[in-house]
Amino acid sequence: MNDPETSLRTALHERVADQHPDYARLSAGAISAGSRIRRRQRITVTVGAAATVGAFAAGGLGLSQLLNTTAVDQAPLGAAGAPSASASTAPLASGQSLDVGDGVTGQVVTNDEARTMDITVQAVSGLQGAGTGFTIVLSGPAGAVEQKWSNDTLLEDYPGVRIATEGDRKGLVDKVPVKQPPGWTCEWSLIDDKASCSSEDGGVAGLVIRPAKDYPDWSKNPDKAGPGSGSHITPVHGDIFISVQSGEGTTDAELEALADSLRWTD
C-alpha cells in the first residue's frame, strides 16, 4: 500500500510544479548570458586597444591618451570609442582665433588656405576629430611657440589638426657655427638649426641653434638649462647661442663638458 503522507506530498509537488521557477534552467540561462556579456566586453576591449595601438605607432597618441583609451574595460558597454576627457568636441572654423596660453595665439585656417600662406607646418595629428581639415598657425614668443607645437597637447585637444608657425622654414645660419671637441662627431641639418652628435663611447647629444633674443629666458629658467634640466647652453655669439640637449648614454657632466668645449668657427 502507498503511504498516504507520501502520496499527498507527490500530488502537491505535481500540482505546483508549473508555478515555481525551474532553477536548473534559470541557472543555465544566467551563466549563458554572463558568458555573452563577458565575450562582448572582451571584443570591445580588443577592438579599442587595437585601434589605439595603431594610432600610437603612427605617432598620433601621447602615452597618457593611450592609457585613457585602453582603459575601456573599466567603462560600461557602449562607452568604447568615446572621446577622451581632454579632447575638444567643438569643431574649428576658419578665421577663428585661439588663446592657447603662455602668450601664444593660434589662427585657424583650412588646410587649403594654409597652402597659400607663408608658414611652416611643424606637427600633424594622426587622429581624426575636431581639428580635421584645419591648420592652427601659432604666433607669440619664440620659446613659448616652440613649446606649444613640440610638447603641448594641441594635437590631442584638436585631433586631426596640423600645427604651423609663421614664416618659411630656413635656418638661422648658413654654415656650421661651431667645432665639436675631439671624441665627438656631429651631423648637421642647418635648415632645422640642429645637429645630432655621438661620442666615441656611445653617448648621444643634440645641438640646437637658437636666436639670441631667447637667451634671457633660457639662461634664467632652471627647467631649460643647467644641472638636472637635460640641457646646457653656450654664451651668446652674435645673433645666436646653442643649447646642448641630453641623449641616451650621456651624463649631465658630459653634456656640460660638451657645451663648454664647443668652439665658434668665426
Side-chain angles (χ1 to χ4, degrees):
M1 294 180 63
N2 292 331
D3 183 349
E5 184 176 349
T6 300
S7 299
L8 178 60
R9 283 200 303 269
T10 301
L12 286 173
H13 177 77
E14 292 174 349
R15 179 69 178 273
V16 301
D18 60 345
Q19 299 180 31
H20 288 270
D22 185 339
Y23 291 109
R25 179 176 59 82
L26 290 181
S27 297
I31 293 171
S32 176
S35 298
R36 287 196 302 273
I37 291 173
R38 287 191 295 272
R39 186 163 58 251
R40 287 169 57 197
Q41 288 176 328
R42 285 196 296 271
I43 292 172
T44 301
V45 171
T46 301
V47 172
T52 302
V53 170
F56 185 80
L61 289 177
L63 179 58
S64 61
Q65 190 174 355
L66 175 68
L67 294 176
N68 287 338
T69 306
T70 54
V72 67
D73 57 326
Q74 300 299 322
L77 287 176
S84 68
S86 65
S88 172
T89 57
L92 296 176
S94 179
Q96 185 177 358
S97 181
L98 304 176
D99 180 357
V100 296
D102 299 326
V104 179
T105 58
Q107 177 189 0
V108 180
V109 297
T110 66
N111 290 346
D112 288 339
E113 291 170 332
R115 294 186 184 96
T116 70
M117 300 174 66
D118 180 24
I119 59 174
T120 298
V121 175
Q122 303 284 16
V124 179
S125 172
L127 303 174
Q128 294 293 309
T132 301
F134 291 97
T135 298
I136 299 177
V137 183
L138 303 178
S139 60
V145 167
E146 181 181 352
Q147 183 76 10
K148 288 295 177 184
W149 72 255
S150 62
N151 296 318
D152 209 76
T153 63
L154 287 175
L155 296 179
E156 298 176 10
D157 295 337
Y158 299 100
V161 79
R162 304 191 313 171
I163 306 297
T165 55
E166 297 174 328
D168 288 333
R169 184 191 298 275
K170 59 181 180 179
L172 293 171
V173 297
D174 296 327
K175 63 179 183 178
V176 175
V178 292
K179 292 180 179 179
Q180 66 272 10
W184 284 91
T185 301
C186 296
E187 295 183 3
W188 284 89
S189 174
L190 292 181
I191 194 171
D192 295 320
D193 299 316
K194 295 177 182 178
S196 176
C197 303
S198 58
S199 65
E200 292 178 344
D201 62 3
V204 176
L207 307 183
V208 181
I209 305 171
R210 302 187 182 278
K213 62 185 179 65
D214 291 345
Y215 186 82
D217 182 37
W218 276 77
S219 62
K220 296 175 183 178
N221 191 333
D223 292 330
K224 288 188 174 183
S229 67
S231 178
H232 288 269
I233 58 176
T234 69
V236 171
H237 183 78
D239 295 331
I240 63 173
F241 70 99
I242 292 178
S243 65
V244 183
Q245 319 282 144
S246 63
E248 184 177 356
T250 306
T251 66
D252 190 76
E254 290 171 332
L255 204 66
E256 183 176 13
L258 175 58
D260 292 341
S261 301
L262 295 175
R263 295 293 177 261
W264 301 103
T265 56
D266 60 4

